[in-house]
Amino acid sequence: GNSVTQMEGPVTLSEEAFLTINCTYTATGYPSLFWYVQYPGEGLQLLLKATKADDKGSNKGFEATYRKETTSFHLEKGSVQVSDSAVYFCALDRRRALTFGSGTRLQVQP
Amino acid sequence: GAGVSQTPSNKVTEKGKYVELRCDPISGHTALYWYRQSLGQGPEFLIYFQGTGAADDSGLPNDRFFAVRPEGSVSTLKIQRTERGDSAVYLCASSSQGGTRGDNEQFFGPGTRLTVL
């Protein structure tokens, strides 16, 4: 079946540090891939997406590249801010529904 | 514009009771999804509606769970004979069109936190 595996958190970084959150997936066919973010006290929001191999999704300084050969969709940001503190979820679509990873909590310290 | 809304925001009930959770999708969105999120986990798919019909209910854990969307807009998730293991945050999402790769951007509501004592 389809599944998503994310690195466990929490990830604690200082402001302006480089961020990588690893995500790998198992799926039949060629799913679309997503990163969702959940800020404290708020609902899930779509951060970025990629729909086919080698696509790069980007938003708010975050990037992720759809790597079919390694079945990965790692999230990166060159310089994190305190306001990026949140829980990040990697997800893939599965016949219209999303399959999520377990989430990675990011804490950015000033 | 208005996003997805869910009521109630919190629901506390006793084991064995019946509960209903409501979701109001974004106006005009034809696809509606229910997910369940346990503490420290990602959301898990329960059921997906396209219009009034349930297109995929493969995520419902057992026959105590049922959902309806009679007019293709508001949806209600119904849980009979609640158990302590049903305690979780129940999330609703909607999208403008279900199932199209790349266009399946789902907009999530704030969730209903269900606690079964």
Side-chain angles (χ1 to χ4, degrees):
Chain A
N2 298 329
S3 66
V4 175
T5 302
Q6 291 181 234
M7 63 187 291
E8 291 190 13
V11 174
T12 303
L13 297 174
S14 298
E15 207 164 22
E16 299 183 3
F18 183 86
L19 169 71
T20 300
I21 300 178
N22 290 337
C23 170
T24 57
Y25 68 90
T26 302
T28 54
Y30 304 99
S32 293
L33 300 173
F34 305 83
W35 277 100
Y36 277 81
V37 59
Q38 191 167 34
Y39 297 103
E42 298 185 18
L44 276 169
Q45 302 173 25
L46 178 64
L47 181 60
L48 54 84
K49 65 181 180 183
T51 60
K52 61 183 186 296
D54 299 325
D55 265 4
K56 178 184 284 188
S58 61
N59 186 26
K60 299 182 180 180
F62 290 89
E63 294 182 339
T65 301
Y66 190 139
R67 300 289 188 199
K68 178 170 167 288
E69 62 276 12
T70 54
T71 62
S72 64
F73 193 55
H74 304 322
L75 183 68
E76 296 182 335
K77 186 174 185 182
S79 176
V80 294
Q81 305 300 313
V82 172
S83 58
D84 294 326
S85 298
V87 182
Y88 293 81
F89 293 92
C90 185
L92 61 83
D93 72 350
R94 177 192 69 84
R95 298 184 298 118
R96 302 174 179 87
L98 294 170
T99 298
F100 286 87
S102 57
T104 302
R105 181 175 299 278
L106 170 66
Q107 298 174 334
V108 181
Q109 299 176 336
Chain B
V4 177
S5 62
Q6 293 186 245
T7 53
S9 56
N10 280 284
K11 176 69 177 179
V12 180
T13 190
E14 294 179 343
K15 181 176 178 295
K17 299 290 189 183
Y18 168 84
V19 297
E20 291 189 349
L21 312 179
R22 176 187 168 106
C23 172
D24 280 89
I26 292 172
S27 178
H29 278 191
T30 59
L32 185 146
Y33 309 78
W34 284 99
Y35 295 84
R36 178 168 70 174
Q37 186 174 17
S38 300
L39 191 63
Q41 299 298 314
E44 293 179 307
F45 168 72
L46 295 176
I47 186 169
Y48 152 62
F49 287 90
Q50 182 66 271
T52 60
D56 183 352
D57 64 358
S58 62
L60 294 177
N62 52 59
D63 62 5
R64 294 186 298 106
F65 288 75
F66 189 71
V68 295
R69 196 185 185 201
E71 297 178 356
S73 178
V74 170
S75 177
T76 304
L77 178 66
K78 309 180 180 192
I79 311 174
Q80 298 178 321
R81 304 183 304 280
T82 52
E83 300 177 356
R84 293 193 179 87
D86 298 335
S87 296
V89 175
Y90 289 80
L91 298 172
C92 177
S94 69
S95 65
S96 59
Q97 48 181 317
T100 304
R101 285 189 62 230
D103 292 328
N104 190 23
E105 178 171 351
Q106 297 183 23
F107 296 83
F108 282 80
T112 294
R113 182 176 300 278
L114 175 66
T115 303
V116 182
L117 301 177

